[in-house]
Amino acid sequence: MTKLDMIKVFRRSMRFGRHKKLGSSVRLDESEETGKPTVGKLQTSCSDIPHYQQSVIFSSPPCADRDLSFGSCSSALQEDFSNTPVLPSERRNSTSGFEALRISFSKRRAQGTLKAAQLKLCAAEAEVERSDMFLLQNQDSTDMTKSDNLYNSYPQDSVESEQSVTDSEMPRASEDGFVPGWPLLHQTMGFEKKIKPAVSIIDRDLSVVKWALQLPKRGHDPSPFLKESRDEALEIRTQVMAPGLSLAQEVGCLFLNRPCTAFAYEDLETATSRFSQDNLVGRGGGSEVFRGNLQDGKVVAVKRLNHGPQSEVEFLIDIEMNTALTHPNIISLIGYCVESSHMLLVYEYLPEGNLEDQLYRKEGSMLSWEVRHKVAVGIAKALDYLHKGCARPAVHRDVKTSNILLTANFESQLSDFGLAKWLPTKASYLLCNDVVGTFGYLAPEYFMYGRVNEKTDVFAFGVVLLELITGRKPIDTTRPKGEENLVKWARPLLSDRAVNRLVDPQLQGVYDAGQMNNMLIAAFLCIQQSTQRRAQMSRILHILRGDHDEALSTCSRSDEPEEFDSACDGGAQDYSTHEDSTNDIRSHLALAMMGVEDDATSQCSVDLSSVDIPHSNKELEEYLEGRFSRSASFED
Ligand SMILES: Nc1ncnc2c1ncn2[C@@H]1O[C@H](COP(=O)(O)OP(=O)(O)OP(=O)(O)O)[C@@H](O)[C@H]1O
């Protein structure tokens, strides 16, 4: 066990973001002598370990004995870090049924000599959730039989030496104490599968250690963007920073001159009839939204935030962003309320609710093509403004149909800015170790590398466009095999111009062929795996409006420095997996990852190489030109 082992494990840490969780996993390594899972075998000095967090995701459905497993997990780690009390572990339930545990350690306590767990990287193909939990559960147990089986199934070369790696290659923490997150190990969801060897690693003659060492080093990035990547809430809060200030006082100071009202809790309680269920209009991951009537007769939506570790941060960010942005396609924040433990946000009420509900009504969607097109153009405008048009460019990070609200006239407004971030001024992207967002909408470079810029939203918007076109959800487990992941299913169809298969049957063929054509092209350009070829929002907007010349020029321009893109693409190849892996999808999460994986590996995967997707800008231009030359050019 070397210091490097530990660092690598920690580098793989990711923070959770609300109910949409991503994480990485670790497993305990076998003892060098016995080959059995063990902890605390070696001593090492870890003075350079940054503040870090380690996450383990547990599968759904949760195990009956999960309490035991959580307890054991904590104590196993506690035992390892004998001088390092494990901070209270945190359990969270997600709306998608996944359950997660986060264990935090602090840098200060980790300094000095401590017993290191023999944590080893878990390869992408290892069956993580159950096996990790099991291993952690069984650390104190004398019965290692099942654990042995798990380990015996692990590739023997996975414990190859790291001698060739020097300290200089080790990652460095960012100033704010976090080592940026690492790619999600996206092939780890085969809970019900028999434990098998890490197939693709073996196939590629690559040990886990080698594989890990090939991953790009995130701690070596230049300092400007590490500074830029600081949490907005931290940034906002440092403006006040008076010790002992309550949230209410903080908010009062921070948003003193902002155009929004500080409401009294009592007034909002009255407005919503004491938050009666009759007034409940929506529920998010961390909130409930109620319709309310203010005393002046104004109808509002009152969002009551639940308490969670991120809720204060999101509350502050939401106010910060919303009060700084003014656009007809962005929801207006009217005010807020912070009183005792209550955190509420008051918005203009949008009577037609969210786009997701409108698209996927049980009785079928009533949204005409005209409305769908209008919605798309509206949100494209909002994002264009957010990315380039406002005083300080920002990225939303959670673009999805449930965050698109509709007015009485079916004008669309982008809502929910709790995860938004200001874009960096000195760097082309932010590095986020809190990969948040929603499965099915996550851009590959964000999902894999935590890299965020405006193209993150462009990808998600592309998924929204596909939903508008097809009437299909981003992840739909009720669909036949191969059709569960919308991006994966639609991409070859877009390439094959199979418009009849793509278009939502609920439209009954009633749509403007030109607009449809434009939307298909826009969607195609949005879901490009390469951020360089993924178009800017301004160009997507032109395409949706039918400015064809502008649309064509989209394809011959580069939007990003080559460095950003090539780094992504190159790294992504390390994560390529087998076509076979699509055969045994078990969970919603696996499906979501599958889509991203395709994006991330499209330049090398068997799956997509067989698809006629242009690989150069020139080819792409010709490809699109061919389509523009016909009126309904996407027709079969
Ligand atoms: N201004 C509004 N007018 C009408 N309905 C609203 C409004 N704001 C929110 N809602 C409804 O409440 C739902 C949840 O709101 P919102 O997405 O803001 O919550 P959230 O906790 O941030 O959710 P998530 O994190 O899952 O996106 C929306 O999908 C929508 O149906």
Side-chain angles (χ1 to χ4, degrees):
M1 176 74 186
T2 67
K3 191 160 58 174
L4 183 68
D5 276 345
M6 289 195 66
I7 301 291
K8 281 188 296 191
V9 169
F10 302 143
R11 285 178 71 198
R12 293 190 152 267
S13 301
M14 277 189 182
R15 290 168 60 200
F16 286 104
R18 290 207 287 191
H19 61 297
K20 283 83 67 166
K21 296 181 183 67
L22 300 179
S24 56
S25 344
V26 295
R27 58 190 286 172
L28 300 174
D29 202 3
E30 66 266 51
S31 150
E32 278 163 19
E33 285 108 354
T34 65
K36 289 186 176 178
T38 183
V39 292
K41 186 171 178 295
L42 294 170
Q43 302 250 338
T44 184
S45 167
C46 297
S47 56
D48 57 348
I49 290 179
H51 176 88
Y52 56 90
Q53 293 177 308
Q54 184 59 58
S55 310
V56 183
I57 297 182
F58 291 87
S59 69
S60 174
C63 293
D65 57 352
R66 62 189 181 200
D67 282 319
L68 173 67
S69 69
F70 275 91
S72 303
C73 180
S74 297
S75 61
L77 287 164
Q78 180 113 39
E79 192 180 292
D80 281 334
F81 294 85
S82 50
N83 296 319
T84 312
V86 174
L87 302 181
S89 61
E90 183 187 304
R91 289 175 61 168
R92 302 233 223 135
N93 289 311
S94 71
T95 50
S96 51
F98 286 88
E99 187 178 64
L101 166 70
R102 179 168 67 192
I103 305 164
S104 303
F105 310 86
S106 78
K107 175 183 179 177
R108 193 170 49 79
R109 289 175 178 168
Q111 280 176 343
T113 303
L114 54 87
K115 271 185 171 181
Q118 275 197 292
L119 299 173
K120 182 62 78 175
L121 298 176
C122 181
E125 291 74 13
E127 321 323 296
V128 173
E129 272 55 44
R130 272 192 181 285
S131 59
D132 277 355
M133 180 166 64
F134 187 82
L135 288 170
L136 290 166
Q137 260 182 290
N138 283 277
Q139 288 318 301
D140 298 331
S141 165
T142 45
D143 175 17
M144 295 289 191
T145 324
K146 288 181 188 168
S147 304
D148 285 349
N149 290 340
L150 292 172
Y151 269 89
N152 290 339
S153 69
Y154 207 60
Q156 288 305 303
D157 63 349
S158 66
V159 287
E160 271 198 30
S161 76
E162 299 84 32
Q163 271 85 342
S164 57
V165 182
T166 62
D167 271 7
S168 64
E169 289 177 273
M170 288 178 18
R172 298 277 176 264
S174 65
E175 276 183 13
D176 54 353
F178 283 104
V179 174
W182 265 42
L184 179 64
L185 303 180
H186 50 84
Q187 282 297 298
T188 59
M189 295 301 147
F191 309 129
E192 287 155 40
K193 281 190 288 183
K194 280 215 162 231
I195 306 301
K196 285 183 271 178
V199 182
S200 66
I201 286 184
I202 287 173
D203 284 357
R204 279 183 279 139
D205 274 70
L206 197 62
S207 75
V208 175
V209 172
K210 277 182 183 166
W211 170 77
L213 294 177
Q214 286 184 8
L215 298 172
K217 292 184 169 43
R218 313 190 76 184
H220 290 285
D221 289 304
S223 58
F225 82 12
L226 290 176
K227 282 201 185 91
E228 295 277 9
S229 71
R230 286 185 172 195
D231 202 339
E232 265 72 24
L234 201 69
E235 193 186 311
I236 295 167
R237 284 188 156 181
T238 50
Q239 294 167 23
V240 180
M241 283 305 278
L245 219 58
S246 70
L247 180 64
Q249 290 166 322
E250 237 183 305
V251 171
C253 295
L254 287 170
F255 307 115
L256 191 62
N257 298 317
R258 298 289 177 99
C260 65
T261 309
F263 285 94
Y265 183 74
E266 200 184 345
D267 292 344
L268 297 181
E269 216 180 21
T270 308
T272 57
S273 312
R274 304 185 78 81
F275 300 101
S276 86
Q277 290 300 302
D278 292 344
N279 285 327
L280 185 70
V281 291
R283 228 184 223 122
S287 68
E288 288 176 320
V289 181
F290 299 85
R291 186 181 187 278
N293 290 294
L294 295 180
Q295 271 184 342
D296 62 6
K298 193 166 178 55
V299 184
V300 291
V302 182
K303 181 167 167 175
R304 187 171 64 176
L305 274 75
N306 304 330
H307 277 272
Q310 286 297 307
S311 54
E312 281 190 15
V313 168
E314 287 172 16
F315 181 70
L316 291 172
I317 292 175
D318 218 320
I319 303 175
E320 161 82 0
M321 291 282 175
N322 258 297
T323 50
L325 305 169
T326 318
H327 191 274
N329 296 104
I330 289 180
I331 187 90
S332 303
L333 181 74
I334 296 170
Y336 61 85
C337 165
V338 205
E339 253 179 58
S340 54
S341 61
H342 305 295
M343 287 183 288
L344 301 112
L345 295 163
V346 182
Y347 300 95
E348 192 184 321
Y349 177 70
L350 272 66
E352 291 300 335
N354 71 54
L355 177 62
E356 184 183 40
D357 291 346
Q358 293 282 351
L359 268 177
Y360 308 117
R361 290 152 52 115
K362 273 199 192 98
E363 59 276 21
S365 176
M366 303 293 282
L367 291 183
S368 66
W369 174 254
E370 196 190 347
V371 168
R372 294 184 196 206
H373 187 259
K374 186 162 80 168
V375 166
V377 172
I379 299 306
K381 283 182 189 168
L383 289 173
D384 184 33
Y385 165 79
L386 192 65
H387 296 170
K388 295 269 168 3
C390 54
R392 191 175 170 191
V395 58
H396 185 279
R397 287 207 303 168
D398 202 13
V399 175
K400 57 178 178 176
T401 47
S402 65
N403 284 338
I404 294 172
L405 304 179
L406 301 169
T407 67
N409 297 326
F410 287 92
E411 295 292 347
S412 52
Q413 293 195 348
L414 188 59
S415 75
D416 197 1
F417 283 76
L419 298 181
K421 278 185 179 288
W422 297 120
L423 280 165
T425 47
K426 297 181 202 134
S428 58
Y429 59 91
L430 286 165
L431 202 50
C432 296
N433 49 18
D434 61 332
V435 177
V436 292
T438 304
F439 290 128
Y441 293 92
L442 296 175
E445 72 283 355
Y446 180 36
F447 187 70
M448 304 279 284
Y449 301 94
R451 289 175 179 173
V452 169
N453 67 5
E454 67 278 11
K455 298 293 182 72
T456 313
D457 286 346
V458 174
F459 184 92
F461 181 67
V463 180
V464 170
L465 290 181
L466 286 177
E467 291 183 76
L468 288 167
I469 293 166
T470 64
R472 288 174 180 238
K473 295 178 182 176
I475 307 292
D476 188 349
T477 48
T478 64
R479 297 269 175 196
K481 224 175 184 78
E483 297 188 19
E484 304 103 321
N485 183 295
L486 179 58
V487 169
K488 184 179 169 63
W489 170 77
R491 188 179 275 124
L493 294 176
L494 284 166
S495 184
D496 292 345
R497 295 171 278 160
V499 69
N500 289 339
R501 288 195 59 201
L502 283 161
V503 171
D504 186 353
Q506 292 180 106
L507 288 171
Q508 299 184 323
V510 182
Y511 57 85
D512 180 302
Q515 285 178 353
M516 177 64 79
N517 196 41
N518 293 340
M519 215 194 273
L520 288 164
I521 291 167
F524 182 76
L525 289 173
C526 287
I527 60 166
Q528 293 289 303
Q529 71 95 20
S530 156
T531 51
Q532 199 172 3
R533 269 184 280 131
R534 205 179 300 153
Q536 296 279 3
M537 221 47 234
S538 53
R539 291 178 194 150
I540 294 297
L541 181 56
H542 280 299
I543 292 169
L544 289 173
R545 283 167 160 168
D547 303 335
H548 287 190
D549 290 345
E550 182 62 32
L552 280 174
S553 69
T554 299
C555 316
S556 56
R557 282 184 232 166
S558 277
D559 293 318
E560 289 293 340
E562 185 59 35
E563 194 189 341
F564 175 68
D565 207 52
S566 57
C568 277
D569 296 348
Q573 293 182 7
D574 292 332
Y575 299 88
S576 64
T577 51
H578 294 253
E579 211 171 16
D580 288 352
S581 66
T582 60
N583 294 334
D584 49 15
I585 296 155
R586 292 278 184 271
S587 68
H588 175 96
L589 187 55
L591 287 168
M593 290 169 179
M594 186 171 72
V596 175
E597 170 198 307
D598 279 351
D599 290 318
T601 59
S602 66
Q603 293 203 333
C604 61
S605 88
V606 180
D607 201 18
L608 286 178
S609 61
S610 61
V611 174
D612 182 26
I613 295 176
H615 283 269
S616 71
N617 287 335
K618 180 143 183 23
E619 284 171 48
L620 187 57
E621 188 172 339
E622 284 162 6
Y623 173 88
L624 288 171
E625 246 171 325
R627 279 147 185 81
F628 278 123
S629 63
R630 295 186 290 275
S631 56
S633 51
F634 265 93
E635 291 296 340
D636 272 329

